């Protein structure tokens, strides 16, 4: 972690009333929510959101309803749902995933239909820079049906081959450069279709305080949840953390093991492994990628959320319920995390937790929560 700090809430400006619309209750059943925009090509929006609640039910003071400006998006989702029919095949997958959190899905690739590939292609940005294949949206559209039919056959026949990403460096405000991976056009199409299928499973698993790159959620919802939490909970101390080089340091072995908790379709897993191992091309030279997932790839945001779900979200949610002595508010957007605490002692223990602390009984379990006087 880098960029961590603790500070009193006097440093956090009081936001105007329009930032919230009343009390909300935390949804422990995990909600699918929002469409997040971030470091990737436009994320996939499933045809029908799972868990019919929506953002207004998520995360209590950490959650908010959809902004008024998202009304058109909601109408689009409802229209898509009617077109797909009720219940659709993915609806049934969603229902099983929600009902049985230990279920592993062995037959998912058949959901990557020709129609789903076509929809994925049509939702790509038409002005996006080409990958190593040099293929543009307009050129591919000239023979769309024939080429998508061929792509569909290669994906299902096992002859589809992932291409390396074209790496470009984007300047950051601090003077450093962010590596961005631009995938080949057909890789974008297949990734988008696969992400739509996997979202039906994982949107029911992810915790409510995860906001990044999810259907029905945006950075505005994350900020709104944080503002509401600070104002409505007893928050006196804030821990702000950013995972240094997260997308570049994801362990491929652990990534695949996490996916296997829910995905047992070896064909889907092989596709993801192909994308992880495809490598990058930079200044005409190809290199292998033994770690990380390309920022900019359509599948990377979902993989990042799956990875952090298992290595951070589940632990953090359990810690605040089991070990915290006061109120704790958590908001995570991709690799950026903000945690608000009522007690400084909780904030320090959360920041400095180690193996020794995890194996010890917390003082508050014996009714001896540490007392801290905080000036706010």
């Amino acid at each position: 972690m880098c960029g961590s700090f603790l500070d009193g809430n006097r440093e956090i400006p009081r936001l105007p009333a329009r930032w919230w619309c009343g009390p909300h209750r935390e949804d422990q059943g995990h909600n699918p929510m929002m469409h997040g925009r971030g470091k990737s090509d436009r994320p996939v929006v499933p045809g029908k959101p799972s868990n019919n609640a929506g953002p207004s039910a998520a995360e209590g003071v950490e959650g908010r309803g959809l902004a008024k400006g998202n009304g058109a998006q909601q109408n689009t989702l409802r229209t898509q749902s009617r077109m797909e029919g009720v219940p659709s095949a993915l609806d049934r997958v969603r229902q099983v995933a929600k009902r049985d959190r230990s279920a592993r899905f062995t037959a998912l690739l058949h959901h990557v239909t020709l129609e789903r590939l076509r929809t994925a292609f049509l939702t790509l940005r038409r002005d996006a820079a080409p990958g190593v294949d040099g293929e543009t949206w307009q050129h591919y559209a000239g023979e769309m049906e024939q080429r998508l039919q061929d792509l569909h056959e290669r994906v299902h026949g096992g002859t589809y081959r992932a291409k390396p990403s074209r790496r470009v460096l984007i300047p950051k405000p601090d003077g450093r450069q962010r590596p961005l991976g631009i995938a080949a056009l057909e890789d974008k199409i297949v990734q988008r279709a696969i992400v739509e299928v996997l979202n039906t499973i994982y949107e029911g698993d992810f915790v409510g305080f995860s906001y990044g790159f999810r259907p029905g959620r945006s950075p505005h919802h994350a900020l709104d949840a944080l503002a509401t939490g600070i104002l409505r909970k007893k928050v006196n101390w804030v821990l702000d953390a950013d995972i240094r080089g997260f997308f570049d340091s994801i362990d491929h072995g652990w990534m695949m093991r996490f996916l296997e908790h829910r995905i047992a379709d070896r064909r889907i897993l092989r596709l993801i492994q192909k994308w992880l191992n495809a490598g990058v091309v930079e200044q005409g030279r190809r290199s292998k990628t033994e770690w990380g997932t390309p920022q900019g790839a359509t599948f990377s945001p979902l993989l990042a959320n799956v990875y952090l779900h298992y290595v951070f979200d589940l632990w953090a949610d359990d810690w605040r319920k089991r070990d915290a002595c006061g109120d704790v508010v958590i908001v995570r957007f991709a690799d950026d995390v903000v945690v608000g605490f009522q007690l400084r002692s909780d904030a320090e223990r959360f920041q400095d937790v180690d193996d020794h602390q995890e194996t010890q009984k917390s003082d508050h379990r014996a009714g001896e929560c540490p007392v801290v006087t905080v000036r706010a």
Side-chain angles (χ1 to χ4, degrees), residues 277-295:
N277 296 336
V280 297
V281 172
E282 185 175 3
Q283 296 181 346
R285 299 182 61 182
R286 180 172 180 173
S287 59
K288 295 182 179 180
T289 49
E290 298 179 356
W291 296 79
T293 179
Q295 295 188 50

Side-chain angles (χ1 to χ4, degrees), residues 159-173:
T159 58
Y160 163 82
R161 296 290 181 265
K163 292 181 173 61
S165 298
R166 182 169 67 88
R167 174 174 287 175
V168 296
L169 299 177
I170 306 298
K172 299 175 66 173

Side-chain angles (χ1 to χ4, degrees), residues 66-92:
L66 280 171
K68 293 180 180 179
N70 288 341
Q73 180 185 14
Q74 290 175 283
N75 292 336
T76 299
L77 294 178
R78 286 194 291 267
T79 301
Q80 290 175 345
S81 297
R82 288 194 294 268
M83 291 174 62
E84 290 178 0
V86 180
S88 71
L90 286 185
D91 284 331
R92 292 191 289 272

Side-chain angles (χ1 to χ4, degrees), residues 18 33 83 163 208-209 233 237 329 341 361:
R18 67 176 180 272
M33 302 214 186
M83 291 174 62
K163 292 181 173 61
F209 60 71
K233 290 283 189 176
W237 301 91
V329 174
F341 302 87
K361 296 292 184 180

